[in-house]
Amino acid sequence: MLKMFFSFLKDNPLARGSLILFVGSFLAGVLSYIFNAIMGRMLGPEDYGAFASLVSLTYITGVPAGTIAVVVAKKMAELQAKNEMTKSRPFVGYVAKQSAIFGVVVFLIFLVLIPLIMGFLKIESFWAVLILGLSLLVSFVSAVPSGGLRGLEKFFEISWSSIFSALTRIGLGVLFVLVGWRVAGGLFAALCADILVTLVIFHYLRLPKERTVLAREDTKLSSFALPVFFVTLFMAVLYNADVVLAKHFLDTTNAGYYAILSLLGKIIFFGTASIGVVIFPITAKNHSLGLDNSRILKLSLWLTFIASAMVTAIYFVFPDLVIKILFGASYLPVSPYVGLMGIVFVFYSLLNILVSYALSCGRTGISYILAGGALVEILALFLFHGSLGEIIYAMILVMAMTLGGLVIYLKYGRMVKKWIL
């Protein structure tokens, strides 16, 4: 039996990569939630609401860096598929330089916006928001090696660096909060972890020393990068806008409660996100070689659905137990909503798989569907934010509509385009 299992892993790159990345992501996810659980207990609902809203804001403001990572991953996968890895070192150097310059510009703009951010999120700590800006700057630097590892399918290195980051956050986070830095301390721990991991992943990249001069088309990335930017932006809004707006509309205690609910939902996403990371370079290479990806996509969707549905079922059956174990009895008022938040992230996890697949195949037209979903989410939350339940039901409807729209587009989009043209 074991021989058959290892033989299957050897012959199936999706299964092998998924297993490595799943184990690594699971361990990193457990450590990450230990960190958040500790922060939730040490900071309490009010300060944790501020902490979570700023973390959510990093996902949105970090969209340009995320775009760079996706572009680098796709290009590196293509270079490997076409046996042109001698271009990899000059390509990474070129993108790293441009990314660093852009990151500095964005950071300077962020500094000007700090008072507005503090006012909108009702946060008094200037240092906490400044640290957020520094994390944004670091994300531009780390995006290039991170995307490179992903494109080259170095799943073990990705997993190990995630575990190392989570361990660093826990150790430094506890220390910094204990010395009295509160919200700023938790964010500063994350910043230190990001800096250390950036150094680690640069070491793991290990590109060939041989160099080939880049052709002009190798540095023309805007035709793919711009649509990817919007896709990443709209996915970040769908993923994080609810926490940010909950902090704005709700009182501090309920904002903290909602942050915990969102974190519980994100356990589902983090547990299945590795599948999307794995299929991206595989389907990108297959697409560049003209091979069929439908079997990989179906397998990925089924794995994601089964795993996320199982966690959601646990949330519905044992909500009190889950809350007590992870965050303590002080968060038990959110118990009626835990299962419902699970549904939100079942939809989002499936959406993430479809987006990874579409981007790997260059189908950037999905940005229009995601733009509609992000816009509807923001409008819905501006209209329905009177309670935790209102926000969650609005999120379920938005995620279901966006997922349905994306499925229709990917299946019939080209057909409709032909009819129109």
Side-chain angles (χ1 to χ4, degrees), residues 3-4 15 18 45 54 65 82 94 121 127 129 131 141 162 176 193 227 244 266 303 305 318 343 360 379 388 408:
K3 186 176 180 180
M4 290 177 61
S18 292
L54 288 173
K82 297 176 181 178
Y94 169 79
L121 295 179
W127 291 107
V129 184
I131 291 170
V141 179
S162 298
F176 294 158
V244 175
K266 287 171 183 175
L303 288 173
F305 175 74
F318 306 108
I343 294 175
S360 71
L379 290 175
L388 299 177
I408 293 171

Side-chain angles (χ1 to χ4, degrees), residues 301-316:
L301 290 171
W302 274 112
L303 288 173
T304 300
F305 175 74
I306 292 170
S308 57
M310 289 174 62
V311 177
T312 301
I314 294 173
Y315 283 176
F316 272 109

Side-chain angles (χ1 to χ4, degrees), residues 334-388:
V334 306
S335 178
Y337 307 106
V338 174
L340 294 172
M341 185 60 84
I343 294 175
V344 173
F345 279 91
V346 170
F347 288 136
Y348 187 86
S349 297
L350 293 171
L351 188 66
N352 179 65
I353 297 298
L354 291 177
V355 168
S356 292
Y357 164 76
L359 288 180
S360 71
C361 298
R363 298 192 64 179
T364 54
I366 60 171
S367 59
Y368 297 107
I369 305 298
L370 299 176
L375 179 60
V376 171
E377 177 179 327
I378 292 172
L379 290 175
L381 295 182
F382 266 91
L383 293 173
F384 305 104
H385 54 257
S387 65
L388 299 177

Side-chain angles (χ1 to χ4, degrees), residues 212-225:
T212 298
V213 177
L214 294 177
R216 189 173 182 181
E217 59 269 17
D218 292 322
T219 58
K220 282 189 172 182
L221 306 173
S222 58
S223 60
F224 181 67

Side-chain angles (χ1 to χ4, degrees), residues 19-37 59 155-170 193 197 263 266-267 269-274 326:
L19 179 62
I20 294 172
L21 204 55
F22 175 78
V23 172
S25 297
F26 177 78
L27 293 175
V30 169
L31 293 171
S32 178
Y33 281 97
I34 290 174
F35 169 68
N36 279 280
Y59 286 106
F155 300 125
F156 177 81
E157 289 82 356
I158 294 172
S159 298
W160 163 242
S161 60
S162 298
I163 294 170
F164 176 72
S165 174
L167 286 170
T168 305
R169 290 182 186 216
I170 292 173
V197 166
L263 185 59
K266 287 171 183 175
I267 290 176
F269 172 67
F270 284 131
T272 59
S274 61
L326 293 177

Side-chain angles (χ1 to χ4, degrees), residues 83-106:
N83 293 318
E84 296 179 347
M85 286 302 292
T86 53
K87 292 183 178 181
S88 61
R89 186 175 288 271
F91 172 75
V92 166
Y94 169 79
V95 178
K97 181 179 178 181
Q98 300 299 318
S99 180
I101 294 172
F102 190 61
V104 171
V105 173
V106 171

Side-chain angles (χ1 to χ4, degrees), residues 90-418:
F91 172 75
V92 166
Y94 169 79
V95 178
K97 181 179 178 181
Q98 300 299 318
S99 180
I101 294 172
F102 190 61
V104 171
V105 173
V106 171
F107 175 68
L108 294 176
I109 295 173
F110 184 89
L111 291 179
V112 177
L113 298 176
I114 286 180
L116 295 177
I117 296 171
M118 293 175 64
F120 185 81
L121 295 179
K122 296 176 282 189
I123 293 174
E124 297 179 357
S125 174
F126 168 82
W127 291 107
V129 184
L130 177 62
I131 291 170
L132 174 68
L134 292 171
S135 296
L136 176 60
L137 176 58
V138 172
S139 70
F140 280 93
V141 179
S142 65
V144 178
S146 176
L149 290 180
R150 183 177 173 186
L152 297 177
E153 301 176 41
K154 294 190 175 185
F155 300 125
F156 177 81
E157 289 82 356
I158 294 172
S159 298
W160 163 242
S161 60
S162 298
I163 294 170
F164 176 72
S165 174
L167 286 170
T168 305
R169 290 182 186 216
I170 292 173
L172 295 180
V174 172
L175 174 63
F176 294 158
V177 174
L178 282 176
V179 299
W181 293 353
R182 307 295 293 172
V183 175
L187 292 170
F188 188 52
L191 172 62
C192 293
D194 290 342
I195 293 172
L196 290 174
V197 166
T198 299
L199 299 175
V200 170
I201 58 180
F202 261 118
H203 170 72
Y204 279 141
L205 196 54
R206 295 173 185 169
L207 300 174
K209 293 182 179 180
E210 296 81 5
R211 296 169 179 259
T212 298
V213 177
L214 294 177
R216 189 173 182 181
E217 59 269 17
D218 292 322
T219 58
K220 282 189 172 182
L221 306 173
S222 58
S223 60
F224 181 67
L226 190 60
V228 169
F229 168 79
F230 286 111
V231 169
T232 310
L233 173 63
F234 299 139
M235 284 294 286
V237 171
L238 286 166
Y239 184 69
N240 297 287
D242 57 330
V243 177
V244 175
L245 292 176
K247 183 66 176 69
H248 176 71
F249 287 120
L250 300 177
D251 62 78
T252 53
T253 300
N254 278 312
Y257 285 155
Y258 189 84
I260 289 296
L261 282 169
S262 180
L263 185 59
L264 286 168
K266 287 171 183 175
I267 290 176
I268 295 171
F269 172 67
F270 284 131
T272 59
S274 61
I275 300 173
V277 174
V278 170
I279 70 167
F280 186 92
I282 297 172
T283 53
K285 285 196 295 185
N286 286 348
H287 181 73
S288 67
L289 297 173
L291 302 177
D292 180 52
N293 279 317
S294 58
R295 187 176 178 183
I296 293 176
L297 177 61
K298 290 177 182 178
L299 176 60
S300 302
L301 290 171
W302 274 112
L303 288 173
T304 300
F305 175 74
I306 292 170
S308 57
M310 289 174 62
V311 177
T312 301
I314 294 173
Y315 283 176
F316 272 109
V317 178
F318 306 108
D320 290 357
L321 181 61
V322 170
I323 294 169
K324 286 180 180 178
I325 291 175
L326 293 177
F327 302 106
S330 61
Y331 291 97
L332 281 176
V334 306
S335 178
Y337 307 106
V338 174
L340 294 172
M341 185 60 84
I343 294 175
V344 173
F345 279 91
V346 170
F347 288 136
Y348 187 86
S349 297
L350 293 171
L351 188 66
N352 179 65
I353 297 298
L354 291 177
V355 168
S356 292
Y357 164 76
L359 288 180
S360 71
C361 298
R363 298 192 64 179
T364 54
I366 60 171
S367 59
Y368 297 107
I369 305 298
L370 299 176
L375 179 60
V376 171
E377 177 179 327
I378 292 172
L379 290 175
L381 295 182
F382 266 91
L383 293 173
F384 305 104
H385 54 257
S387 65
L388 299 177
E390 273 191 24
I391 295 177
I392 293 174
Y393 281 118
M395 289 294 294
I396 291 175
L397 181 60
V398 168
M399 292 297 179
M401 290 174 58
T402 307
L403 179 63
L406 193 57
V407 169
I408 293 171
Y409 173 81
L410 290 176
K411 192 168 184 180
Y412 302 109
R414 288 175 177 169
M415 186 184 303
V416 172
K417 186 176 180 180
K418 287 181 181 179

